[in-house]
Amino acid sequence: MRKRECVQKFSKGFTLIEIMVVVIILGVLATFVVPKILDRPDQARVTKAQADIKAIEAALKLYRLDNGFYPTTEQGLVALVRKPEISPLPRNWKSGGYLDRREEPKDPWGNPFAYRSPAEDGRDYEITSYGADGELGGEGVNADIRNE
C-alpha cells in the first residue's frame, strides 16, 4: 500500500488551463507554418518538370545517336517509348525504348509535354510543360517550363 500511495501522490494530470495553453500555442504556430508548407508542393512540381525535361533531352540525344535524327513533331515524344510507324522510320530504334516508361511522358500535373522538332527558334527541338494550368503562358506555377 505504501508504494501505491506514493505513486498517487506524485502522479498529477494536466489541468485544463495547461492543455488550453498548449492548444493555443500549437494554433499560433500552425498559422505561420502551414502556409509555407502548402506552397512547397507546387515548387516541387516545377522542379520535377525541369528534371523530367532534362531526362527527355538525354533520351532524345540517345535517339539521335542511334538513328541520325530527332523524332519529328508528328512522331512526338511517344517515339521515345514506342517505335514510330510514320516516316522517317528510325533505322536502329532501341528495343525497350529510350525512357523508363511505357507511355508518352507527362509533366507533374498530368499533361503531356509539348514537343516540336525543329523548334521555331532554330534549335533542334523544344520541350515544354505548360505548368499547373496546362495552358500557354502564365505566371508562377502556371508559367511554361521549357528546355534551354
Side-chain angles (χ1 to χ4, degrees), residues 43-129:
Q43 184 57 42
R45 285 187 181 102
V46 169
T47 302
K48 182 174 183 334
Q50 293 166 338
D52 288 349
I53 287 173
K54 296 274 186 215
I56 293 168
E57 284 185 300
L60 284 168
K61 289 174 183 173
L62 287 173
Y63 183 99
R64 182 172 184 245
L65 187 64
D66 287 349
N67 301 293
F69 55 87
Y70 292 108
T72 64
T73 302
E74 293 77 26
Q75 291 171 329
L77 296 175
V78 171
L80 299 175
V81 293
R82 286 192 300 272
K83 187 174 182 176
E85 297 177 359
I86 58 175
S87 187
L89 296 176
R91 297 183 302 265
N92 299 312
W93 194 83
K94 179 181 156 194
S95 175
Y98 295 87
L99 290 174
D100 198 23
R101 50 184 77 136
R102 295 184 183 259
E103 58 186 38
E104 179 178 10
K106 295 188 177 181
D107 68 14
W109 296 277
N111 302 312
F113 285 96
Y115 172 74
R116 184 179 299 152
S117 179
E120 289 180 354
D121 62 5
R123 294 181 294 158
D124 291 326
Y125 57 84
E126 179 180 80
I127 308 164
T128 306
S129 166

Side-chain angles (χ1 to χ4, degrees), residues 9-48:
K9 195 175 195 180
F10 291 107
S11 62
K12 293 182 180 180
F14 293 107
T15 66
L16 181 60
I17 292 182
E18 290 171 328
I19 293 172
M20 293 293 289
V21 168
V22 170
V23 169
I24 290 171
I25 290 171
L26 290 174
V28 170
L29 287 174
T31 59
F32 295 110
V33 174
V34 169
K36 301 254 185 230
I37 293 172
L38 291 179
D39 287 343
R40 287 294 187 203
D42 288 331
Q43 184 57 42
R45 285 187 181 102
V46 169
T47 302
K48 182 174 183 334

